[in-house]
């Protein structure tokens, strides 16, 4: 079967914009007759068929938002999607969810596939591979073509778009300060997300809390990796070879591993060892004994705010609507793994 061309392919081959191709195929008076003829003939030659959902022109809308998340098994991303879907449904929009599985290639292919008139805008959190390589050109390309993007949680500072984030730095600073306030002086930091922007910000918050309290940084108590398995292998050594009375873990699985390994090594929690972890999944809060003190990221609220902001942009008549970075505050949920003040 002969493959059908897309608007983007035609635009690339003829060295014109996607908007010009769309307008020419719809007999817009803004396009010269010569250009219209050239584009229409080429489209016919390449077996182009209009997208039945719509061409995503400024005066047309699919009422559909594309959502790309890195990992469907992460409870945080599941909560964010739940919030997006709730608000989208209330405001008459459909949602298409795709999963990048932390892959740059899959992320870019998904953007390319859905940006040809299938959706009106994207809400996404950047894949680990894209952040590791600092490769963000695929986002800028989509924005340049006129499709808005909103980033949440993991973002690219250099890409100008709407963003909804957690106060990662302040949250980490406050969590570490809480451990200090409860008497901890030798606080380990465990991270399996050192490739991610959020991981780096959380490390900075931890270091700032130590500095604020004149506590020297002990490199032997800090483990920063991009692999959960690698982290698990190193946690035990840190607890065996150092005096540790507190742990700040930068992701949910990191905190669960810290608790389990700490108990296995003979620590009493929280009498000997206090633990605070980032993210507030069911495993951390309900299925562990003792239960983990965590920083709640309010995933549902992040999703709701992201959907509201995206729909506001899609429906705004102001093409120069300023971009916003919305910061959602976290909350420390004290449970059994930390001593009381």
């Amino acid at each position: 079967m002969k493959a059908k061309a897309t608007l983007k392919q035609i635009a690339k081959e003829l060295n014109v914009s996607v908007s010009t191709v769309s307008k020419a195929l719809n007999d817009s008076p803004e396009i010269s007759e010569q250009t219209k003829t050239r584009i229409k003939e080429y489209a016919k030659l390449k077996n182009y068929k209009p997208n039945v959902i719509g061409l995503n022109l400024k005066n047309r809308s699919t009422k559909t938002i594309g959502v790309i998340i890195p990992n469907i098994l992460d409870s945080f991303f599941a909560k964010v999607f739940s919030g997006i879907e709730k608000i989208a449904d209330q405001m008459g929009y459909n949602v298409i969810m795709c999963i990048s599985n932390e892959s740059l290639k899959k992320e870019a292919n998904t953007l390319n596939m859905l940006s040809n008139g299938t959706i009106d805008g994207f809400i996404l959190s950047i894949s680990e591979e894209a952040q590791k390589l600092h490769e963000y050109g695929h986002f800028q390309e989509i924005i340049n073509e006129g499709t808005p993007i909103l980033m949440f949680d993991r973002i690219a500072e250099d890409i100008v778009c709407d963003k909804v984030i957690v106060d990662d730095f302040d949250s980490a600073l406050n969590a570490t300060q809480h451990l200090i306030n409860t008497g901890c002086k030798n606080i380990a930091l465990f991270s399996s997300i050192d490739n991610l922007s959020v991981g780096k910000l959380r490390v900075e918050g931890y270091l700032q809390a130590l500095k604020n309290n004149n506590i020297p940084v002990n490199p032997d108590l800090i483990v920063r990796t991009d692999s959960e398995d690698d982290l698990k292998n190193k946690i035990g050594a840190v607890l065996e070879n150092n005096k540790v009375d507190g742990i700040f873990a930068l992701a949910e699985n990191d905190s669960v591993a810290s608790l389990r390994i700490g108990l296995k090594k003979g620590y009493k929690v929280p009498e000997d060892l206090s633990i605070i972890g980032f993210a507030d999944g069911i495993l951390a809060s309900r299925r562990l004994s003792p239960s983990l003190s965590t920083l709640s990221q309010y995933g549902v609220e992040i999703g709701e705010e992201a959907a509201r902001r995206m729909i506001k942009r899609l429906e705004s008549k102001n093409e120069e609507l300023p971009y916003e970075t919305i910061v959602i505050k976290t909350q420390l949920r004290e449970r059994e793994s930390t001593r009381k003040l």
Side-chain angles (χ1 to χ4, degrees):
M1 181 183 289
K2 188 176 180 181
K4 296 178 181 179
T6 66
L7 287 176
K8 291 175 69 174
Q9 290 167 346
I10 295 171
K12 183 177 180 180
E13 291 294 328
L14 298 181
N15 197 28
V16 296
S17 69
V18 173
S19 177
T20 297
V21 175
S22 298
K23 291 176 181 178
L25 294 175
N26 284 273
D27 284 318
S28 170
E30 298 177 38
I31 308 301
S32 69
E33 291 301 323
Q34 182 180 0
T35 300
K36 283 183 190 178
T37 300
R38 175 169 166 251
I39 291 174
K40 287 180 179 180
E41 288 180 353
Y42 188 83
K44 183 177 181 181
L45 177 67
K46 293 297 182 179
N47 196 33
Y48 170 76
K49 301 294 181 184
N51 189 306
V52 295
I53 300 177
L55 297 176
N56 203 21
L57 297 173
K58 288 182 180 179
N59 61 336
R60 298 178 67 175
S61 171
T62 68
K63 302 286 281 188
T64 302
I65 297 170
V67 179
I68 306 176
I69 62 175
N71 182 358
I72 190 59
L73 298 179
D74 189 307
S75 62
F76 168 70
F77 291 121
K79 290 177 181 178
V80 173
F81 179 75
S82 173
I84 293 171
E85 201 280 332
K86 174 185 174 182
I87 298 301
D89 183 62
Q90 290 177 0
M91 302 185 73
Y93 280 75
N94 299 308
V95 176
I96 296 176
M97 183 179 73
C98 297
I99 305 163
S100 69
N101 280 332
E102 305 289 9
S103 164
L104 168 61
K105 182 177 180 180
K106 189 168 185 180
E107 183 176 71
N109 286 345
T110 301
L111 285 168
N112 187 60
M113 175 183 68
L114 295 180
S115 64
N116 190 34
T118 303
I119 55 92
D120 294 335
F122 288 102
I123 297 175
L124 58 88
S125 189
I126 300 176
S127 67
E128 180 179 357
E129 187 176 13
Q131 290 212 311
K132 181 178 181 179
L133 298 174
H134 299 284
E135 179 56 63
Y136 306 129
H138 50 307
F139 302 124
Q140 192 60 59
E141 182 180 345
I142 296 300
I143 293 171
N144 290 345
E145 291 171 356
T147 303
I149 286 177
L150 180 146
M151 296 179 177
F152 71 89
D153 191 48
R154 306 180 194 173
I155 63 171
E157 293 288 351
D158 295 340
I159 300 297
V160 180
C161 65
D162 291 313
K163 294 160 186 170
V164 180
I165 60 174
V166 166
D167 57 335
D168 289 286
F169 176 88
D170 288 340
S171 298
L173 187 154
N174 293 334
T176 307
Q177 184 64 53
H178 183 82
L179 290 171
I180 295 169
N181 292 345
T182 60
C184 296
K185 297 180 180 179
N186 300 288
I187 303 170
L189 178 140
F190 296 143
S191 171
S192 66
I193 56 170
D194 205 46
N195 277 334
L196 305 180
S197 57
V198 293
K200 291 178 172 60
L201 286 169
R202 293 169 192 176
V203 170
E204 290 175 12
Y206 159 86
L207 294 174
Q208 186 62 51
L210 297 185
K211 182 179 179 180
N212 291 349
N213 291 272
N214 297 313
I215 298 175
V217 176
N218 183 350
D220 293 336
L221 301 186
I222 298 175
V223 181
R224 301 172 64 177
T225 77
D226 55 10
S227 163
E228 290 182 10
D229 289 337
D230 187 27
L231 178 63
K232 289 177 184 177
N233 292 333
K234 293 178 178 178
I235 289 175
V238 172
L239 295 179
E240 283 182 0
N241 300 322
N242 299 275
K243 183 179 179 181
V244 180
D245 53 17
I247 294 175
F248 179 42
L250 304 198
E252 182 176 8
N253 289 340
D254 301 348
S255 60
V256 172
S258 298
L259 175 61
R260 286 176 170 168
I261 295 172
L263 293 172
K264 187 176 180 180
K265 296 296 180 182
Y267 282 85
K268 293 181 181 180
V269 178
E271 293 86 355
D272 303 329
L273 182 67
S274 289
I275 304 172
I276 295 178
F278 229 98
D280 197 25
I282 294 175
L283 181 62
S285 61
R286 301 180 193 174
R287 296 180 182 173
L288 294 176
S289 180
S291 58
L292 274 166
S293 295
T294 58
L295 289 162
S296 177
Q297 292 176 275
Y298 292 111
V300 173
E301 289 81 358
I302 289 174
E304 291 176 350
E305 191 61 50
R308 289 191 191 98
R309 181 62 195 174
M310 172 56 71
I311 293 171
K312 178 180 178 181
R313 179 164 297 282
L314 293 175
E315 296 185 348
S316 174
K317 295 180 181 179
N318 177 14
E319 294 186 11
E320 303 299 323
L321 186 68
Y323 292 107
E324 284 188 291
T325 295
I326 300 166
V327 180
I328 304 295
K329 295 291 184 181
T330 62
Q331 180 182 4
L332 175 60
R333 297 186 182 276
E334 295 183 62
R335 298 191 180 92
E336 296 169 346
S337 69
T338 48
R339 295 188 292 272
K340 303 301 179 184
L341 287 171

